[in-house]
Amino acid sequence: MPLVDNVCGDGNIVISRRDFLKKSGLLAGALAMPTLAPHSQPTEIEDESHEVVPRPSVSAASIANFVDPLPIPQVAEPSGEHPDPFHPGRSVPFYRLEMSEVFAKLHRDLKPTRIWAYGGTSPGPIIEAQSGQPLMVEWANALPKAHLFAVDHHIHGAEANKPNVRAVVHLHGAKVRPDSDGYPEDWYVPGKSLISYYPNIQDAAMLWYHDHALGITRLNVYAGLFGAYFIRDGAKRALNLPSGKYEIPLILCDRKIDSQGQVDYPAAPMFMAPWRPEFYGNAILANGKLLPFLDVEPRSYRLRVVNVSNSRFLSLSLSEQTAFIQIGSDQGLLRAPIEVTPVILAPAERADLVIDFSPEGGKKIVLNDASGPIMQFRVASLSAADPIRLPKKLRHIAPLAPSHAARTRTLTLDQYSDPSGKVMRMLLNGTHWDMPITEKPKLGSIEIWRFVNLTPDPHPIHLHLVRFQILGRRPFDLEAYRKSKTLRFVGPSIRPDPNESGWKDTVRCPPRTVTSIIARFEGFTGRYVWHCHVLEHEDNEMMRPYEVIG
Ligand code: C2O
Ligand code: CU
Ligand code: CU
């Protein structure tokens, strides 16, 4: 019986991800040591999916590299003003962004690709906000009635009695009221819209908006529903960082693009249950383009990078030994600039990077992921501008003291397989989405959350509403835990990397490790969510509500 899962309808044997990892020796490695390395994902163009005969797809090896200019998403324009519901007598900028199906050119040599977009493009337009100045967005669902991809009706919240096309927008990293946060059950169908109020009462940072509809987030985001949102403040301007055309948003995701130029989300071979535990594409889109180039001057640039992939952990580096100086992460600037290579970004993580092209005049520098090239910088052979002298100190970040924590919660990350080893679902602390809320921090209180990873993979865990600091990661004895449910540590706690030592909203939790974070639950009371940001995991129950209580 269990064999059925490894055999397709037409009788072909397929290799599951777990088998692939076992055969390639990757699994043993992943189990043997807790690591911050990316997901045990193929670095080569390897079809490790459950597919029998993969639809031929394009990759860097099969298509012309660096022939399209890197698109820079438009900045959204407000359509007018709206009375501020929370500050009578004042008004705020009002935006209207429509979700719709469009055709986009992903590459010079590909036919237009059917995708879903906010405001007509994917990535959607950039929303520019000032810290302390609220704005409102009407998110209008004008999508077609049929989904681009197969919906798995076994997944909670995506049952056959629910419409296939539903959407709700979440602003990742934002401190907003619960009714503007894009609660996964607040989805709505084509023809409807929802207005969100964004107070922007937080420090400057790169946030991003994306779909969050229960049980189909992976499909909606994969279709193209994401975009960047910047919060600016005076402090950052005073630092004199590269700005204007020298500040480049870079929104990265992996996709599978078939030879007809269409985006493919290969379903698992079970016709009735197309959910797959992870998705890895073999082509990376930068601002919606495959393998673009950017003409740059020999001077410093600032790159604002976000990984909007479903599952892929990116590992970024530059050719020609060019260095990245990282100045910020998820929730704004770090304390000080640091040189980092490679820059690892789990899904949803951001990196604020400075690259100094001033010694590179005339060169072509490639931005690479571990899986292959992403884009090319063409440095003009002009006389070099003076390199920007980055300040030694960027920002003061006071550590949250564990002794001030009102409570510590220990929460497991779990994975369940059927007898054949096929991964069926993942849970947080052994609880399903629909079970009563168990995490109820008090407004204004500080808490420590410890994520005990019992699975063989790393998970990027994200909390809505709050920013947090990483306290450390400590390896534990998994077998002992399984037997007695007690944590027996097998090594000291490891401090977060320097580029993870600022304010975060998403944290990588390696296997066999307890990852601890500390947060103050400030802002608003009400119901929010926390979840794994591997979208396949999130959709299949690795997400839980939590409630901030007054
Ligand atoms: Cu990036 Cu719950 O979100
Ligand atoms: Cu979020
Ligand atoms: Cu996960």
Side-chain angles (χ1 to χ4, degrees), residues 170-174 181 208 210 212 348 350 462-465 505-506 529 531 533:
H170 167 61
L171 179 55
H172 182 119
D181 193 49
W208 62 294
H210 63 79
H212 220 302
R350 282 88 78 204
H462 167 53
L463 276 68
H464 286 207
L465 180 69
D505 57 44
T506 305
V529 301
H531 59 88
H533 222 290

Side-chain angles (χ1 to χ4, degrees), residues 3-313:
L3 258 183
V4 171
D5 279 334
N6 283 332
V7 178
C8 287
D10 51 9
N12 288 323
I13 304 294
V14 294
I15 295 182
S16 74
R17 167 183 159 73
R18 189 86 21 228
D19 291 342
F20 168 81
L21 292 175
K22 254 187 231 142
K23 290 201 181 87
S24 61
L26 285 171
L27 187 61
L31 286 174
M33 50 167 189
T35 167
L36 289 187
H39 235 259
S40 342
Q41 61 198 5
T43 51
E44 280 307 302
I45 306 311
E46 186 85 50
D47 198 276
E48 48 72 61
S49 65
H50 288 71
E51 264 186 313
V52 190
V53 185
R55 240 153 99 186
S57 58
V58 299
S59 68
S62 69
I63 202 159
N65 289 197
F66 318 130
V67 292
D68 294 287
L70 175 78
I72 306 294
Q74 295 277 315
V75 174
E77 285 292 334
S79 56
E81 299 265 304
H82 195 280
D84 186 331
F86 301 104
H87 302 97
R90 287 206 290 185
S91 60
V92 300
F94 187 87
Y95 296 76
R96 185 173 189 280
L97 288 175
E98 215 172 70
M99 310 162 205
S100 64
E101 186 169 287
V102 298
F103 283 85
K105 274 291 267 183
L106 306 191
H107 186 278
R108 184 194 68 187
D109 302 337
L110 290 175
K111 295 201 189 101
T113 306
R114 185 194 301 269
I115 58 163
W116 286 3
Y118 291 112
T121 59
S122 176
I126 292 175
I127 300 178
E128 285 280 351
Q130 295 298 322
S131 182
Q133 295 179 20
L135 61 82
M136 291 165 84
V137 184
E138 177 184 355
W139 299 104
N141 184 343
L143 294 167
K145 290 270 181 311
H147 209 292
L148 276 182
F149 307 112
V151 172
D152 187 331
H153 295 300
H154 290 81
I155 285 188
H156 78 304
E159 296 79 9
N161 63 356
K162 307 278 190 327
N164 276 355
V165 178
R166 330 171 248 120
V168 63
V169 184
H170 167 61
L171 179 55
H172 182 119
K175 193 200 266 187
V176 303
R177 282 168 203 279
D179 55 3
S180 286
D181 193 49
Y183 196 70
E185 291 176 355
D186 290 347
W187 51 261
Y188 45 100
V189 294
K192 303 266 185 241
S193 65
L194 194 79
I195 297 174
S196 289
Y197 180 88
Y198 299 122
N200 301 314
I201 37 163
Q202 59 191 99
D203 294 344
M206 181 192 204
L207 314 184
W208 62 294
Y209 55 91
H210 63 79
D211 189 76
H212 220 302
L214 191 67
I216 53 169
T217 295
R218 71 194 183 292
L219 305 175
N220 289 356
V221 172
Y222 192 75
L225 294 178
F226 52 82
Y229 185 113
F230 288 99
I231 298 183
R232 313 277 183 183
D233 68 22
K236 224 168 193 177
R237 274 195 296 273
L239 290 172
N240 225 339
L241 299 166
S243 63
K245 62 174 178 168
Y246 305 117
E247 183 184 20
I248 309 291
L250 204 56
I251 301 157
L252 304 176
C253 58
D254 63 340
R255 291 293 181 267
K256 197 152 188 278
I257 301 159
D258 70 19
S259 41
Q260 292 308 302
Q262 299 311 303
V263 182
D264 184 14
Y265 186 88
M270 298 289 284
F271 171 70
M272 296 297 286
W275 176 79
R276 44 189 305 140
E278 277 97 26
F279 167 84
Y280 301 112
N282 57 358
I284 294 185
L285 299 181
N287 296 347
K289 275 288 177 213
L290 179 59
L291 297 153
F293 69 87
L294 179 69
D295 284 316
V296 295
E297 299 166 26
R299 68 178 316 279
S300 292
Y301 277 75
R302 182 175 179 192
L303 244 56
R304 312 293 300 266
V305 192
V306 57
N307 180 1
V308 305
S309 303
N310 282 29
S311 294
R312 183 176 290 280
F313 286 46

Side-chain angles (χ1 to χ4, degrees), residues 474-494:
R474 197 163 182 195
F476 69 97
D477 182 336
L478 180 62
E479 284 65 42
Y481 184 88
R482 288 203 196 288
K483 274 191 211 111
S484 62
K485 294 275 176 292
T486 47
L487 276 174
R488 208 172 62 83
F489 291 109
V490 295
S493 179
I494 297 156

